[in-house]
């Protein structure tokens, strides 16, 4: 990032008048306080400097991305006492942004059937404070939605599947440039990059819906959203059910991609990692449920 740091403008006290996503973002933050979202009006600039980075700056793959990944590199060394491979660091850095960014699109769809369009020049991120600043200028909704009369609304006549296609397109529009910016550091081909995107969409909304008490509905919705074969996404939601003690059903899925955390801590794998056997998954999920 070039130029001297400048003070970021304070987040607005409330969402812009007529925001179609304000209620969804409020519910998101209430359930997951690790993310605070500030909306900007149509002509308000996004914050820059003093910890802020624009999604477009990350997508450009230059100094801003260097600084972003330096945080991940330092975190791994501090917490695990060893350095991670550069491509693994890049994967961590992408995940820690993309997991949150996908929620900006999927949560309004899940809660209110509204899909904001957020090109990379309309999102800024402050990772150490868990804040995102967004400017929603366009969104899609269904006929009969009161928000259909708002500026920037696009009413879709194709029903739920048209709205799902809009979610896929909106996420692709935002993540596509970021995947290109990160790609030289990730050392993955197109299929591998979009498998990461698939996992960010599924895992983020699945987790958030669990906090909202709507896990089962989210799993059904995600299976319809990403059934497999919806290019450019690789794979699908891929949920399956394991049997726990006493016959209790335990939901899991196999990730489409790999975060390579095991290269830092060989003894640790994600519960949804294909390297984690079902017996181990049952043990972990049962412990989580009882804890």
């Amino acid at each position: 990032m070039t130029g001297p740091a400048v003070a970021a403008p304070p987040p607005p006290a409330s969402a812009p008048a007529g925001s179609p996503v304000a209620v969804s973002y409020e519910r998101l933050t209430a359930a997951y306080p690790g993310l605070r979202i500030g909306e900007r009006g149509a002509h308000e600039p996004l914050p820059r400097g003093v910890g802020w980075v624009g999604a477009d700056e990350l997508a450009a793959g230059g100094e801003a991305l260097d600084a972003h990944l330096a945080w991940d590199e330092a975190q791994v060394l501090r917490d695990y006492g060893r350095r991670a491979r550069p491509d693994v660091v890049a994967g961590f850095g992408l995940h820690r942004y993309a997991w949150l960014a996908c929620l900006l699109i999927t949560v309004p769809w899940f809660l209110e059937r509204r899909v904001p369009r957020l090109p990379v020049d309309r999102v800024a991120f402050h990772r150490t404070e868990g804040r995102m600043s967004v400017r929603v200028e366009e969104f899609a909704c269904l006929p009969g939605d009161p928000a259909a009369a708002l500026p920037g609304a696009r009413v879709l006549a194709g029903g739920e599947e048209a709205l799902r296609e809009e979610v896929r397109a909106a996420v692709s529009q935002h993540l596509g440039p970021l995947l290109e910016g990160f790609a030289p550091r990730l050392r993955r081909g197109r299929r591998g990059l979009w498998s990461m995107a698939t996992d960010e969409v599924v895992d983020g909304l699945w987790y958030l819906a669990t906090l909202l008490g709507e896990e089962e509905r989210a799993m059904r919705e995600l299976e319809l959203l990403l059934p497999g074969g919806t290019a450019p996404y690789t794979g699908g939601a891929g949920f399956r059910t394991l049997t726990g003690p006493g016959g209790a059903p335990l939901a899991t899925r196999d990730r489409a991609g790999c975060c390579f955390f095991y290269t830092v801590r060989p003894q640790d794998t994600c519960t949804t990692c294909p390297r984690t056997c079902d017996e181990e998954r049952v043990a972990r999920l049962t412990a989580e449920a009882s804890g």
Side-chain angles (χ1 to χ4, degrees):
M1 194 179 307
T2 60
V6 294
S14 59
S19 166
V21 294
V23 172
S24 292
Y25 287 170
E26 288 171 4
R27 290 189 63 187
L28 193 169
T29 297
Y32 182 66
L35 174 61
R36 293 179 292 154
I37 304 167
E39 286 191 71
R40 302 281 165 175
H43 303 292
E44 286 186 279
L46 295 176
R48 294 291 170 102
V50 194
W52 287 97
V53 63
D56 54 344
E57 293 180 287
L58 295 178
E63 293 181 10
L65 183 53
D66 291 339
H68 180 78
L69 297 181
W71 189 96
D72 296 280
E73 184 175 28
Q75 177 267 321
V76 170
L77 183 59
R78 180 184 66 247
D79 292 353
Y80 305 112
R82 60 181 298 179
R83 293 190 180 277
R85 295 185 334 223
D87 62 305
V88 176
V89 169
F92 291 172
L94 177 62
H95 163 67
R96 287 161 174 165
Y97 172 81
W99 191 92
L100 298 173
C102 288
L103 293 176
L104 298 174
I105 297 169
T106 59
V107 169
W109 163 68
F110 181 68
L111 295 179
E112 297 189 274
R113 289 303 189 256
R114 297 171 186 171
V115 183
R117 283 283 183 152
L118 291 169
V120 290
D121 62 349
R122 298 178 195 170
V123 179
F125 180 44
H126 196 304
R127 72 182 308 164
T128 58
E129 295 184 0
R131 294 163 63 189
M132 283 185 146
S133 183
V134 304
R135 190 171 62 243
V136 177
E137 299 179 9
E138 181 185 1
F139 70 99
C141 62
L142 295 175
D145 187 330
L150 293 175
R154 288 188 298 110
V155 181
L156 304 180
E160 292 287 345
E161 179 51 35
L163 206 60
R164 286 190 285 268
E165 178 56 35
E166 184 66 20
V167 175
R168 293 189 287 265
V171 172
S172 175
Q173 180 187 40
H174 187 81
L175 288 190
L178 285 152
L179 295 179
E180 292 181 13
F182 276 80
R185 303 159 192 261
L186 285 167
R187 298 188 346 201
R188 304 191 196 195
R190 178 176 174 80
R191 181 178 178 83
L193 293 172
W194 283 100
S195 68
M196 297 175 72
T198 302
D199 289 331
E200 303 301 357
V201 172
V202 176
D203 290 342
L205 184 60
W206 182 24
Y207 178 78
L208 193 282
T210 300
L211 299 180
L212 292 171
E214 296 200 62
E215 179 184 15
E216 291 186 5
R217 181 168 79 88
M219 291 167 62
R220 292 194 300 270
E221 297 277 10
L222 286 164
E223 289 279 11
L224 293 170
L225 178 68
L226 293 172
T230 50
Y233 301 94
T234 302
F239 291 108
R240 55 193 182 90
T241 302
L242 302 176
T243 302
L250 300 171
T252 190
R253 67 179 294 263
D254 293 323
R255 292 177 56 86
C258 183
C259 67
F260 296 118
F261 181 69
Y262 72 89
T263 64
V264 178
R265 291 279 295 271
Q267 69 274 28
D268 290 341
T269 58
C270 304
T271 302
T272 54
C273 177
R275 301 169 67 94
T276 304
C277 68
D278 284 354
E279 182 180 1
E280 175 64 19
R281 294 186 192 209
V282 169
R284 293 189 195 181
L285 293 170
T286 302
E288 290 175 8
S290 63

